[in-house]
Amino acid sequence: FNNMLYIFIFIVIVIFIGYAFYIVNAKKVKQIPKHWHNILIKEVLFYKKLTPNHQAIFRNRILLFLNEINIDGVNTEIDELDKILIASSAIIPVFNFPNWSYNNLTGIIVYSDSFNEELQFSNKDKNKRILGMVGTGRFKNQMILSKKAIRLAFNNKTDKHNTPIHEFVHLLGKMDGETNGVPESFIGKEFIAPWLELMYKEMEAINSDESDIRAYAGTSEAEFFAVTSEYFFERPKLFKQKHPELYKMLSLCFQKSN
């Protein structure tokens, strides 16, 4: 009987210690730094426009993203602001998808400035014009970003550009296994034909220099989706005014209510 009692007490102690350890670590994981709010209010216009409840959700999703995705700098230091801005860029396009996780992303590599297609970034390397890309080959499931582009994306709140959002939208475009610029996983099959009609019509206008959408959107269907999404999130009112049909279609895609 005594042996049974000792075993029972031992099991209870082990369970108690395990539970206490879980609670302590859970609190550490879930703790969101209070100063993040002030940083986000200052730096991220999308966050500033949210209600207090939605702001709390946004901060929590930043924490979850940073716990899931590794961010490493190459010849540059990655500070807290860089991480917050990268995570914000990831969350903005999928904010209305509550349980979203980037299953096709494992890590983000940050260079100090632009780089070329071979991911070379020294001043001696030619064609050093790339600010962001989704990796392929040995860099599959990786995203490469320029630190300069990350900061510029949020410093200028009146332009239509946001390189990190652009690259995260590319990840969304790859969810169905295709890179054809058709967000089939988000708009449903019945809207594919209207999307294609709108896309090719606007691409023709872009390539004829008759649109205010950035010229890069006219280079391919995938780039059209990414560039128009930048515009949609950076200057929503202007985009709605200039491109009401595209605005409705992207609102459907990103589940934006207005």
Side-chain angles (χ1 to χ4, degrees), residues 97-163:
F97 302 91
N99 300 312
W100 183 267
S101 180
Y102 285 94
N103 296 324
N104 53 353
L105 180 69
T106 57
I108 297 171
I109 301 168
V110 180
Y111 287 179
S112 61
D113 207 331
S114 55
F115 49 92
N116 63 21
E117 290 183 356
E118 285 75 41
L119 303 183
Q120 302 300 314
F121 56 89
S122 75
N123 292 331
K124 296 179 181 179
D125 296 306
K126 297 179 180 179
N127 302 318
K128 194 170 70 78
R129 296 191 296 265
I130 301 174
L131 296 174
M133 64 183 291
V134 174
T136 57
R138 67 189 181 96
F139 289 100
K140 184 181 179 182
N141 294 335
Q142 299 280 316
M143 181 182 292
I144 301 94
L145 292 171
S146 156
K147 183 172 181 175
K148 181 179 179 181
I150 295 166
R151 297 298 180 95
L152 284 175
F154 291 92
N155 283 345
N156 190 337
K157 295 178 175 61
T158 60
D159 69 358
K160 307 162 190 172
H161 303 173
N162 189 304
T163 298

Side-chain angles (χ1 to χ4, degrees), residues 69-258:
I69 306 298
N70 293 320
I71 301 176
D72 297 306
V74 175
N75 284 8
T76 188
E77 184 178 342
I78 306 301
D79 60 25
E80 184 181 52
L81 177 59
D82 296 315
K83 291 181 179 180
I84 289 173
L85 295 181
I86 291 170
S88 295
S89 302
I91 294 159
I92 287 169
V94 296
F95 184 68
N96 293 314
F97 302 91
N99 300 312
W100 183 267
S101 180
Y102 285 94
N103 296 324
N104 53 353
L105 180 69
T106 57
I108 297 171
I109 301 168
V110 180
Y111 287 179
S112 61
D113 207 331
S114 55
F115 49 92
N116 63 21
E117 290 183 356
E118 285 75 41
L119 303 183
Q120 302 300 314
F121 56 89
S122 75
N123 292 331
K124 296 179 181 179
D125 296 306
K126 297 179 180 179
N127 302 318
K128 194 170 70 78
R129 296 191 296 265
I130 301 174
L131 296 174
M133 64 183 291
V134 174
T136 57
R138 67 189 181 96
F139 289 100
K140 184 181 179 182
N141 294 335
Q142 299 280 316
M143 181 182 292
I144 301 94
L145 292 171
S146 156
K147 183 172 181 175
K148 181 179 179 181
I150 295 166
R151 297 298 180 95
L152 284 175
F154 291 92
N155 283 345
N156 190 337
K157 295 178 175 61
T158 60
D159 69 358
K160 307 162 190 172
H161 303 173
N162 189 304
T163 298
I165 285 180
H166 181 107
E167 299 307 325
F168 280 106
V169 170
H170 274 318
L171 287 181
L172 300 183
K174 288 185 173 185
M175 290 303 296
D176 59 2
E178 302 283 345
T179 54
N180 55 10
V182 180
E184 183 177 340
S185 300
F186 302 93
I187 60 174
K189 292 183 178 180
E190 68 272 26
F191 293 103
I192 292 177
W195 169 260
L196 289 171
E197 183 179 352
L198 275 174
M199 178 171 63
Y200 288 122
K201 179 182 177 182
E202 194 60 42
M203 286 179 73
E204 185 177 343
I206 292 166
N207 292 324
S208 301
D209 199 24
E210 296 174 354
S211 174
D212 71 327
I213 296 174
R214 186 157 56 102
Y216 192 46
T219 60
S220 73
E221 292 87 345
E223 296 304 341
F224 179 84
F225 178 43
V227 170
T228 54
S229 296
E230 287 181 75
Y231 193 163
F232 177 82
F233 287 111
E234 288 287 289
R235 297 293 301 279
K237 288 183 180 179
L238 182 63
F239 189 72
K240 185 176 184 179
Q241 177 187 337
K242 295 277 189 179
H243 309 279
E245 291 180 285
L246 271 173
Y247 181 88
K248 287 180 182 178
M249 193 64 74
L250 287 177
S251 293
L252 176 68
C253 175
F254 297 115
Q255 296 188 10
K256 190 174 187 293
S257 59
N258 52 48

